[in-house]
Amino acid sequence: MSGSPSGRRHTRDDVSEVALRLLDEYGLPDLTMRHIAAALEVRASALYWHFPNKQALLAAVSARILRPMEDVRVEEMSVSETVRRLGARLRECLLAYRDAAELVSSSLALGLVDSPVRPQLMTVTRRDGVPDSLSRVAAEAVMHFVVGYTFHEQQRLTADSFGLLAADASSLNPENATARPSDGGDFEEALKMIADGLQVSVRQHTETSTG
Amino acid sequence: MSGSPSGRRHTRDDVSEVALRLLDEYGLPDLTMRHIAAALEVRASALYWHFPNKQALLAAVSARILRPMEDVRVEEMSVSETVRRLGARLRECLLAYRDAAELVSSSLALGLVDSPVRPQLMTVTRRDGVPDSLSRVAAEAVMHFVVGYTFHEQQRLTADSFGLLAADASSLNPENATARPSDGGDFEEALKMIADGLQVSVRQHTETSTG
DNA sequence: ACCTGAACACCGTTCAAGT
DNA sequence: ACCTGAACACCGTTCAAGT
């Protein structure tokens, strides 16, 4: 089936690409070194030539998931719009692959991947004269909120797909139909709150420096 | 040493209490069913009489970690103060035990523990006539930000305690001393942003309803 | 009601040795 | 440079059986 004879060698990029495919297909609990190796037609121990340990491999997968963040063109945006667009794009990146939010959450916490929000937000805030300290804080708030929110959301999605609450939850309490739309409206409302909060901080900062 | 003869039986509460002690002492990776059982002088299989699986046991430990949230008395606070106090208290709860933020993060995402922010925030927002939809969104923003931020923070703390970057990081780049104070000032600034954002949303809401 | 014993089907990681 | 083979020291979970 595959184009190359069985004796092929692999690169770090091959490994993380195949790992991402497996993540999406079988989920994080089944993303084991042995399974990744098997998909590459190799033994698990071979992976340790490319990566020092599993966490490093998973960090490479996380970086792959976050790659589309770089395509967001923020040059013409206001600060508030940038916050909302980067947050929305981050959520899209995480929803694009099964269990991606959980994986990225841990890579970020371990400090093995860079902030997917900070650099682009900073170009805009610097352009507008917003102090770096404020934009760094806002970038953290956006990142942690989006990753946590989407982690929870993604968990509910796969729980629903296993039919774990389809029947009784909606019959016992009809409110649930409206109580858990989770169509992204709440998400965008929260992003707007953080963006508005940043604006307030900026105003307060310029007031104290001027007056 | 212990007061009772060796034939003692256990309850769910005993189990989660001992598990929390082990978490704090040895960390999440070593919090295995076998280690918990050993600390209770019992076999791992015995734990499955008390809990259906490990995630359920960990959820009980998470609930224990979050218990001090109930002691926050919000009755006399403004909405903004409530957001900041609940956020700060949540961070304290998570920093009180090793790896607690990581553990609680996953229990929350799996939906196995209730929001540690929502109920108390809602009593205050309802008192002030803030619509439930806004306060629910704010509660989510606060919760996800605090858990994510503290997860990252706690990971750095234990990394530092293992001396993983003490030497070269500060010598190569002296800015790092100021770049990572992480003394909580950034944290409180971010909480204030979310609180301010909520205030803005409330004002916008009442304007549209009135005018 | 609460636990043991033993097994099942796995893990991540190391390392000498191969090509 | 890249991988195999084999081992080490573990996992979570199930279930018949004990008391």
Side-chain angles (χ1 to χ4, degrees):
Chain A
M1 283 292 230
S2 68
S4 45
S6 59
R8 275 207 65 249
R9 256 69 200 241
H10 297 290
T11 69
R12 280 173 60 98
D13 262 44
D14 294 341
V15 176
S16 63
E17 185 186 342
V18 165
L20 179 53
R21 222 195 56 224
L22 289 184
L23 173 73
D24 196 40
E25 204 156 349
Y26 303 107
L28 189 56
D30 287 331
L31 192 66
T32 69
M33 298 301 268
R34 286 169 218 260
H35 286 159
I36 298 165
L40 292 159
E41 293 177 293
V42 117
R43 309 287 141 180
S45 53
L47 299 176
Y48 288 84
W49 194 91
H50 300 283
F51 297 94
N53 51 48
K54 190 185 181 182
Q55 282 300 346
L57 197 166
L58 294 183
V61 177
S62 296
R64 215 170 242 283
I65 291 166
L66 295 174
R67 194 117 83 200
M69 293 302 294
E70 294 166 13
D71 302 339
V72 182
R73 306 253 52 90
V74 296
E75 286 77 12
E76 318 259 276
M77 295 184 193
S78 69
V79 169
S80 171
E81 193 184 358
T82 304
V83 163
R84 277 151 30 214
R85 292 277 256 269
L86 286 174
R89 175 62 140 257
L90 178 52
R91 175 165 171 263
E92 288 166 12
C93 287
L94 299 176
L95 288 177
Y97 304 94
R98 170 136 67 134
D99 291 347
E102 181 173 6
L103 174 60
V104 169
S105 168
S106 113
S107 294
L108 284 170
L110 293 169
L112 300 177
V113 294
D114 293 335
S115 167
V117 173
R118 187 187 289 194
Q120 277 149 304
L121 180 58
M122 295 264 277
T123 66
V124 171
T125 50
R126 281 195 162 133
R127 180 201 65 198
D128 287 12
V130 175
D132 281 3
S133 58
L134 286 182
S135 40
R136 273 195 277 103
V137 167
E140 289 244 297
V142 170
M143 177 183 86
H144 288 305
F145 164 70
V146 174
V147 172
Y149 180 96
T150 312
F151 185 177
H152 193 175
E153 180 182 18
Q154 202 162 41
Q155 211 62 51
R156 282 193 305 255
L157 289 175
T158 66
D160 286 5
S161 83
F162 275 77
L164 294 186
L165 45 77
D168 57 339
S170 52
S171 64
L172 285 176
N173 183 3
E175 260 182 22
N176 279 2
T178 55
R180 50 166 73 218
S182 188
D183 42 37
D186 285 1
F187 175 79
E188 278 159 27
E189 185 76 40
L191 275 185
K192 185 181 167 301
M193 271 189 197
I194 299 174
D196 288 345
L198 174 57
Q199 299 280 36
V200 172
S201 295
V202 170
R203 268 198 292 274
Q204 287 172 349
H205 180 90
T206 51
E207 274 165 23
T208 8
S209 337
T210 314
Chain B
M1 282 295 228
S2 68
S4 45
S6 60
R8 273 209 64 250
R9 257 68 199 241
H10 297 291
T11 69
R12 280 174 60 100
D13 261 44
D14 293 339
V15 176
S16 62
E17 185 185 342
V18 165
L20 179 54
R21 222 195 56 223
L22 288 184
L23 173 73
D24 196 41
E25 204 156 348
Y26 304 107
L28 189 55
D30 287 332
L31 191 64
T32 68
M33 297 301 268
R34 285 169 218 260
H35 286 159
I36 298 165
L40 292 159
E41 293 178 291
V42 118
R43 309 288 141 179
S45 53
L47 299 177
Y48 289 83
W49 193 91
H50 299 284
F51 297 94
N53 51 49
K54 190 185 182 182
Q55 282 299 346
L57 197 165
L58 294 184
V61 178
S62 296
R64 217 170 240 285
I65 292 166
L66 296 174
R67 194 118 81 201
M69 293 302 294
E70 294 165 13
D71 302 339
V72 183
R73 306 253 53 91
V74 295
E75 285 77 12
E76 317 258 278
M77 297 184 192
S78 68
V79 168
S80 170
E81 194 184 357
T82 303
V83 163
R84 277 149 35 213
R85 291 277 255 271
L86 286 174
R89 175 62 139 259
L90 178 52
R91 175 166 172 262
E92 288 167 12
C93 287
L94 299 176
L95 289 176
Y97 304 95
R98 171 140 59 137
D99 292 347
E102 182 173 4
L103 174 59
V104 169
S105 168
S106 112
S107 294
L108 283 170
L110 293 170
L112 299 177
V113 295
D114 292 336
S115 167
V117 174
R118 187 187 288 195
Q120 276 148 304
L121 180 59
M122 295 264 277
T123 66
V124 171
T125 50
R126 283 195 161 136
R127 180 202 65 198
D128 287 11
V130 175
D132 281 2
S133 58
L134 286 182
S135 40
R136 272 195 277 103
V137 167
E140 289 244 298
V142 170
M143 176 184 86
H144 289 306
F145 165 71
V146 174
V147 173
Y149 181 97
T150 312
F151 185 177
H152 192 176
E153 181 182 19
Q154 202 161 42
Q155 210 63 52
R156 283 193 305 255
L157 288 175
T158 67
D160 285 6
S161 82
F162 275 77
L164 293 186
L165 43 79
D168 57 340
S170 51
S171 64
L172 285 175
N173 184 2
E175 262 183 20
N176 280 3
T178 54
R180 50 166 73 219
S182 188
D183 41 37
D186 285 1
F187 175 79
E188 278 159 26
E189 184 76 42
L191 274 187
K192 184 182 167 303
M193 270 190 198
I194 299 174
D196 288 345
L198 175 56
Q199 299 281 35
V200 173
S201 296
V202 170
R203 268 198 293 275
Q204 287 172 348
H205 180 89
T206 51
E207 274 166 22
T208 12
S209 337
T210 314

